[in-house]
Amino acid sequence: MKKMLVTIGLIIFLVGAFVFNNKLYLPPLPIENLSKKTVIEKINDSETRMVKLSNENGYEWYVIKERNISAADEMIKEMLDQNGWIFKQKEGNGLFFERHDESSIVSTQMWTGDYVLVKIPISFNE
């Protein structure tokens, strides 16, 4: 009986360690080619609060280490202003920008309580 309890305890510990190490407890990512663990490592290893994650399906994905979505929005506005984009308005999770006769939308999403995911059309950097 004691041996069985030790075995069950060891199994529970190993499963828990696997779940924690691979960040399986975090919400799903909308980015196909990155694991949750990779995203957390990239932002934690960075000296900035905003880190580019990947290019996927015509979008650039970023993660911002920020609990306040308004503060994250301001970081996005500053970054895009440097490329000549002018912020027009926010509706829901979309930030609307214009440059010359073009318009585009940046989407934000609270991923956890500590991180905001940002989806920017690649055309913003052209």
Side-chain angles (χ1 to χ4, degrees):
M1 181 69 169
K2 185 176 180 183
K3 193 173 185 178
M4 187 168 89
L5 288 175
V6 169
T7 302
I8 290 171
L10 183 58
I11 290 170
I12 291 171
F13 172 77
L14 291 173
V15 168
F18 178 80
V19 166
F20 181 78
N21 186 51
N22 290 294
K23 311 298 183 204
L24 298 178
Y25 55 90
L26 294 173
L29 279 170
I31 308 165
E32 295 174 12
N33 62 358
L34 288 176
S35 70
K36 299 171 193 177
K37 182 179 178 180
T38 301
V39 171
I40 296 297
E41 287 173 350
K42 280 188 172 202
I43 192 71
N44 287 340
D45 291 346
S46 174
E47 295 189 16
T48 63
R49 289 183 13 221
M50 184 172 184
V51 176
K52 183 176 180 180
L53 297 173
S54 74
N55 288 346
E56 186 175 285
N57 301 323
Y59 293 94
E60 292 181 349
W61 285 92
Y62 292 82
V63 62
I64 300 175
K65 189 171 190 172
E66 179 59 62
R67 290 176 177 245
N68 182 338
I69 194 76
S70 296
D73 290 349
E74 290 305 315
M75 291 175 69
I76 295 164
K77 290 176 196 176
E78 287 176 25
M79 182 179 85
L80 296 177
D81 182 61
Q82 294 173 4
N83 289 346
W85 290 93
I86 300 166
F87 174 72
K88 291 299 178 181
Q89 66 184 29
K90 178 174 179 166
E91 287 186 30
N93 70 337
L95 300 169
F96 293 75
F97 292 86
E98 289 182 359
R99 178 176 71 178
H100 309 299
D101 289 331
E102 299 176 82
S103 62
S104 202
I105 304 169
V106 172
S107 302
T108 60
Q109 172 185 339
M110 284 301 295
W111 181 44
T112 70
D114 297 317
Y115 305 101
V116 177
L117 294 174
V118 182
K119 181 180 172 185
I120 301 176
I122 289 179
S123 63
F124 269 100
N125 290 324
E126 297 175 349

